[in-house]
Amino acid sequence: MNLSWLEDFLALAASGNFSRAAEERHMTQPAFSRRIRALEEWLGTELFDRTSQPARLTAAGEWFRQAAHEMLARAARLPGEAKAVAEAHSTTLRFAATHALSFTFMPGWLRRLEASTAVGPITLVSDVFARCEAMLLQSQVQFVLSHAHPLFASELEGQDYPFARVGTDVLVPVSAPDAQGQPRYPLAQDVPGVPLPLLSYSPESGIGRILREVRGAALERSAAQSVFQAHLASVLRTMALDGRGVAWLPETLIAEDLASRRLVEAAPPDWSIEMEIRLYRDRSSLGKAAEDFWTAVCDATT
């Protein structure tokens, strides 16, 4: 059986339309139909009732839909798991961390850990939270470092991935100051016909997802209007410094900007969002070096 047959099957199961599914899979309808038939012959049963329009799943097809999802998910995890087995005796630690924490929190945090335990070589992938999360779900990395909030449940929590709370941060609404040192774009401004320019996060951003969960309803009621969107807090920081609008930025990223008043808080303190900094780990055995590192992290947080 070819794994791509499973993707063909799921495309047809979603629409029930052979032409549409063939187009989605970038092939001709006859070629697509032959692949579906080959899958059915391999299984020894029909998966679709072709007498109806759209085609409907048979009882066997309904059962196989879940099996196909599980097989594809399992196949996606295999490269990471194979790598984990190969590196079981390696001293190299494999991390994914969100961009903001890679640049701000992680260096000092590792330095503090190194004062009490040996930390071997590290490979780091710095990316948006959604991709970091996917890498851990597929066992491509051993650890993920990210922001978290009780109101934002990631898939890692949904699947009970262990984590340690290794720090805290605050998401602060800020803008460039005006000539009097006051926020150029105060969040409380209420000028009819003059929307508040908001520098917002893309859907892939973990910080953006936290902001939407905690303050989304309040922002919808305000005069805020998104004028710029980006994955990275560092990009929004640059735009805020340039006076383009108000942005919620991690305090770890803008501490020096606040101290020098290049950026100022644009709202009362109750608009800020307290966050945790968490280290998630793979659920499977990590190998001696990574397990020793995890133990040191847990000991440092107790």
Side-chain angles (χ1 to χ4, degrees):
M1 186 202 68
N2 190 322
L3 280 176
S4 63
W5 294 352
L6 302 179
E7 296 172 334
D8 297 338
F9 164 78
L10 290 173
L12 182 55
S15 67
N17 186 293
F18 277 81
S19 296
R20 189 182 310 161
E23 183 178 354
E24 180 183 332
R25 298 290 293 148
H26 306 291
M27 67 184 77
T28 64
Q29 183 176 333
F32 180 81
S33 297
R34 285 195 297 271
R35 287 161 67 101
I36 294 296
R37 183 61 72 185
L39 175 62
E40 292 177 318
E41 289 174 356
W42 181 77
L43 287 169
T45 186
E46 291 191 348
L47 300 174
F48 293 94
D49 177 2
R50 293 166 171 80
T51 64
S52 65
Q53 290 295 329
R56 290 183 296 185
L57 289 168
T58 63
E62 290 286 359
W63 164 82
F64 188 65
R65 175 155 49 183
Q66 180 62 32
H69 281 296
E70 292 173 355
M71 292 168 71
L72 287 171
R74 178 65 178 141
R77 292 195 299 268
L78 286 176
E81 291 177 2
K83 189 173 184 179
V85 171
E87 295 181 353
H89 300 289
S90 171
T91 59
T92 300
L93 306 178
R94 292 180 286 118
F95 275 81
T98 54
H99 286 283
L101 293 177
S102 298
F103 300 141
T104 59
F105 176 81
M106 191 172 184
W109 171 66
L110 287 174
R111 190 164 52 249
R112 291 190 295 274
L113 281 173
E114 288 168 340
S116 58
T117 189
V119 177
I122 291 174
T123 61
L124 171 67
V125 177
S126 181
D127 213 323
V128 294
F129 176 73
R131 297 194 188 103
C132 291
E133 181 181 55
M135 282 187 280
L136 187 56
L137 289 169
Q138 296 175 12
S139 297
Q140 295 177 15
V141 295
Q142 299 161 319
F143 302 103
V144 162
L145 186 69
S146 70
H147 288 98
H149 189 277
L151 294 182
F152 166 59
S154 69
E155 190 171 351
L156 296 178
E157 291 170 271
Q159 297 194 28
D160 295 324
Y161 274 72
F163 67 85
R165 182 177 178 272
V166 297
T168 59
D169 205 349
V170 181
L171 204 52
V172 185
V174 295
S175 86
D178 60 19
Q180 289 72 44
Q182 298 303 308
R184 189 178 304 179
Y185 302 108
L187 197 60
Q189 77 173 21
D190 187 15
V191 180
V194 182
L196 180 76
L198 179 65
L199 308 174
S200 57
Y201 293 93
S202 64
E204 295 86 354
S205 166
I207 290 177
R209 287 155 73 177
I210 290 172
L211 177 60
R212 286 188 291 275
E213 287 292 332
V214 181
R215 293 284 180 263
L219 283 173
E220 288 180 4
R221 293 193 298 269
S222 73
Q225 178 178 312
S226 179
V227 296
F228 184 86
Q229 185 180 93
H231 295 334
L232 307 183
S234 57
V235 174
L236 298 188
R237 169 185 172 269
T238 301
M239 298 300 287
L241 286 168
D242 196 47
R244 299 298 186 93
V246 60
W248 264 259
L249 298 173
E251 194 172 43
T252 51
L253 179 66
I254 58 170
E256 292 183 3
D257 297 322
L258 291 172
S260 63
R261 295 194 64 77
R262 288 181 296 177
L263 291 174
V264 295
E265 294 189 29
D270 58 355
W271 277 87
S272 296
I273 302 170
E274 294 184 1
M275 301 183 293
E276 296 179 359
I277 300 173
R278 292 180 181 176
L279 181 72
Y280 293 89
R281 60 156 287 173
D282 200 340
R283 293 181 298 187
S284 60
S285 177
L286 300 176
K288 184 178 186 308
E291 290 289 358
D292 288 347
F293 177 80
W294 176 253
T295 298
V297 169
C298 293
D299 289 344
T301 59
T302 56

